[in-house]
Amino acid sequence: MSDDHRSTPSSHSGNFKEDAYVGGDLDVLVSDEAALAKLGYKQEFRRAFKPIEAFGVGFSIIGVVPGISSVLVFSIPNGGPVAMVWGWTVCAVFLMFIALALAELGSAAPTSGGLYYWTWTFATPRWRKVLSWIVGYSNSIGLLSGVASIEWGCAVQLMAAVSVGSNEVFVPTTGQTFGVFAALLLFHAILSSLATSALARLQGLYVALNVLLCLAIIIALPAATPKEFKNSASDVFGDFSNFYGWPNGWAFILSFLAPLWTIGGFDSSVHISEEASNARVVVPWAIISTVGIAAVLGWVINVVVAFCMGPDLGAVLGSPIGQPMATILLNSLGRNGCLALWSFVIIAQFMAVSSLLTAASRQSFAFARDGALPFSRFISRVNKRTMTPVNAVWASAIAALLLGLLVLAGPTTYTSIFSLGIAGQYTAYCIPILSRFLGGREWTPPGPFTLGRFGLPVAIVAVCWMVFSVIMLAFPTAPGPTAEEMNYMIVVFVGWITLCLVYYYFPVYGGVHWFNGPRTTVDDVSLATSEGVEGRKEST
């Protein structure tokens, strides 16, 4: 697209359908269609997501109880109660810095492409093509790895329920669990192909169920846990357990994988921004509130579980059920109570995949809309009946299925998929945040949410934390690993980035010859209308 038709984000936009925003001493009229036109895109989706529903996308992806249930295998052996309580606290504080940095960018330029669009907008002209290419592909692999890992967690939880129901007689094989994983992905692809209005209305249900599930754990677990499985306050807040042999300090740091994976998907609200009303206000609100509420609820859940999981952590980790949280619930609630509550954990995990696949498909659609993916014309088509990118949904589901094949190589590859999702996302987060300050482009009047002079220090903390996290995630589970025990996340991630760069610089057919960043999809009349309306507003 030509630079003449794309401007950097502005704090004012045209008004096709007026939404009022009151910020500080100024009343700003926000038009989603005009704001999107200023970014170079025409409105293709229905804007059906209300604020609570945009929040629901991120909140259901985090899925506090099912998320924690999936990652206790990382926190219990790397610190036990101390890691669950204090490791979560430390990590959550730094994760809020990331949320704030992304929220400011999301308020300035809310578009489905989000991260790579921001990179293109603010990076230096010399590097913005290749950087936005890397960000787009890193964001895609991060989201798709997230879909695969959460779906695998859902399959494991479902098989754990079968194991509990059979009195631990049934022990699922990896192949059986993969079959359930594939069936769940098929169902999710169908669900995520629904119309925007249907997907939006589901978010209210997702929020309600997740909150009720948190309350159920907080109330029922302490009330029902037998005395022999209750821990003292000194145990919960001061007992350190180290199962893998790392120095205690490093083991504590490795436990950060639990909150890092649980409180993720910061950009999910950004990817549905073209389907949200009053997006420049709703998107940053959704990002910050999702992380903040999930962090607090998650801390409370971890404390409650730590009080009720009993002193024998080895038994919890080594149970034939194969799922620590399911084992804890069984010990506390009995078989029937465990199955009743666990069924809602599975449902909440199922909802998380639904929301994340929706977000991943919107990223795939946006990247294909700008011609960067193979088969872009096919993937970027919008279904005329549902007004959703159905082709992108199925392409994303197939890609997640292929990533899921890695679990068949052994248990360490499961950890690699977890870590790959975080590494991909953090790479995609770091580059646009850095580009805003180092790209040499002036930070134009921001959106309704702005950090002001605190933007730079927040960005520095956020980027430093993400770099540290990616380095930490590359470490194996235990020191002195064998070939089977190695953490191959860095191999897979570097391999992915290498393939992206090979594709970009490939002679004749590579992206360097034809990729020119975000493409304008609005016509000149629409663009002139939005600019004219903006000009009239600025004159007032």
Side-chain angles (χ1 to χ4, degrees):
M1 67 156 290
S2 66
D3 289 335
D4 293 336
H5 284 176
R6 187 174 300 280
S7 61
T8 52
S10 172
S11 63
H12 301 280
S13 57
N15 179 37
F16 294 167
K17 297 179 181 177
E18 291 190 352
D19 292 300
Y21 169 73
V22 179
D25 298 326
L26 297 176
D27 291 335
V28 182
L29 293 177
V30 179
S31 168
D32 295 304
E33 290 85 353
L36 189 61
K38 285 290 293 179
L39 301 178
Y41 297 121
K42 67 180 179 180
Q43 185 68 45
E44 297 186 79
F45 301 142
R46 292 192 180 97
R47 290 189 179 269
F49 279 84
K50 300 174 184 177
I52 187 64
E53 294 162 346
F55 162 80
V57 173
F59 189 67
S60 62
I61 288 173
I62 290 174
V64 179
V65 173
I68 291 174
S69 299
S70 295
V71 296
L72 284 179
V73 292
F74 303 116
S75 55
I76 290 179
N78 288 303
V82 166
M84 293 169 64
V85 176
W86 302 120
W88 183 279
T89 304
V90 171
C91 199
V93 170
F94 286 103
L95 291 175
M96 182 54 75
F97 281 87
I98 306 173
L100 289 169
L102 292 179
E104 186 174 37
L105 286 167
S107 182
T111 174
S112 295
L115 303 166
Y116 78 86
Y117 180 95
W118 303 336
T119 303
W120 174 269
T121 300
F122 295 112
T124 176
R126 179 180 178 183
W127 295 105
R128 65 180 184 175
K129 285 176 62 175
V130 66
L131 286 178
S132 59
W133 179 276
I134 291 172
V135 167
Y137 274 100
S138 296
N139 194 194
S140 297
I141 194 65
L143 289 167
L144 295 173
S145 296
V147 171
S149 58
I150 298 177
E151 193 77 279
W152 181 258
C154 187
V156 169
Q157 291 171 357
L158 187 57
M159 297 304 261
V162 176
S163 179
V164 171
S166 68
N167 295 317
E168 291 78 65
V169 172
F170 173 74
V171 178
T173 65
T174 301
Q176 290 169 333
T177 305
F178 183 82
V180 173
F181 164 82
L184 289 171
L185 259 180
L186 174 64
F187 193 89
H188 276 118
I190 296 172
L191 182 64
S192 294
S193 298
L194 296 175
T196 299
S197 57
L199 294 173
R201 300 299 89 81
L202 284 172
Q203 301 307 317
L205 173 64
Y206 293 178
V207 171
L209 180 63
N210 273 284
V211 171
L212 290 174
L213 187 55
C214 289
L215 294 176
I217 293 290
I218 293 169
I219 296 170
L221 205 58
T225 301
K227 185 173 292 186
E228 63 267 27
F229 289 110
K230 287 190 174 179
N231 295 322
S232 66
S234 60
D235 290 333
V236 170
F237 296 105
D239 185 44
F240 193 93
S241 300
N242 188 340
F243 282 77
Y244 291 140
W246 288 107
N248 286 348
W250 188 247
F252 179 76
I253 290 174
L254 289 178
S255 74
F256 291 167
L257 181 58
L260 284 176
W261 184 81
T262 303
I263 307 179
F266 296 88
D267 57 323
S268 57
S269 300
V270 175
H271 295 304
I272 56 95
S273 61
E274 293 181 30
E275 299 166 80
S277 298
N278 205 0
R280 297 201 306 155
V281 175
V282 168
V283 167
W285 174 84
I287 294 172
I288 295 169
S289 59
T290 294
V291 174
I293 294 173
V296 173
L297 282 175
W299 186 85
V300 175
I301 295 293
N302 273 297
V303 170
V304 169
V305 171
F307 267 107
C308 300
M309 65 184 179
D312 191 352
L313 301 185
V316 172
L317 291 171
S319 169
I321 296 174
Q323 225 293 340
M325 181 66 101
T327 302
I328 294 168
L329 294 180
L330 178 62
N331 293 338
S332 297
L333 306 176
R335 197 167 305 279
N336 292 335
C338 171
L339 286 173
L341 191 56
W342 194 246
S343 63
F344 287 100
V345 174
I346 295 170
I347 293 171
Q349 184 88 339
F350 181 88
M351 293 174 173
V353 183
S354 170
S355 296
L356 187 55
L357 181 58
T358 299
S361 67
R362 273 44 176 185
Q363 158 62 19
S364 298
F365 160 80
F367 210 32
R369 175 175 61 185
D370 293 325
L373 291 177
F375 312 109
S376 283
R377 286 189 178 181
F378 175 78
I379 294 173
S380 62
R381 289 176 187 168
V382 175
N383 185 280
K384 294 181 179 179
R385 181 175 180 180
T386 64
M387 296 297 290
T388 56
V390 173
N391 292 355
V393 170
W394 285 93
S396 299
I398 292 170
L401 179 66
L402 295 175
L403 278 172
L405 289 171
L406 290 173
V407 301
L408 299 177
T412 55
T413 56
Y414 176 44
T415 303
S416 298
I417 295 176
F418 268 79
S419 302
L420 178 62
I422 301 170
Q425 289 296 80
Y426 281 6
T427 300
Y429 296 169
C430 282
I431 294 176
I433 292 174
L434 287 172
S435 294
R436 183 207 147 173
F437 294 99
L438 302 178
R441 300 287 295 275
E442 182 181 355
W443 175 243
T444 57
F449 174 78
T450 176
L451 297 173
R453 66 179 183 274
F454 296 105
L456 180 57
V458 166
I460 291 172
V461 173
V463 170
C464 289
W465 175 253
M466 287 188 282
V467 171
F468 172 74
S469 297
V470 172
I471 294 172
M472 178 263 294
L473 291 171
F475 277 74
T477 302
T482 64
E484 293 180 352
E485 296 169 341
M486 266 302 292
N487 183 348
Y488 291 100
M489 180 276 292
I490 194 66
V491 177
V492 176
F493 182 62
V494 171
W496 172 262
I497 295 296
T498 301
L499 285 175
C500 293
L501 291 175
V502 169
Y503 181 29
Y504 182 78
Y505 287 110
F506 199 80
V508 182
Y509 301 104
V512 68
H513 302 291
W514 48 264
F515 178 67
N516 291 308
R519 295 176 176 176
T520 296
T521 61
V522 292
D523 55 37
D524 292 337
V525 173
S526 299
L527 189 60
T529 299
S530 70
E531 292 178 343
V533 172
E534 180 178 343
R536 289 195 298 274
K537 287 189 176 296
E538 290 178 342
S539 67
T540 62

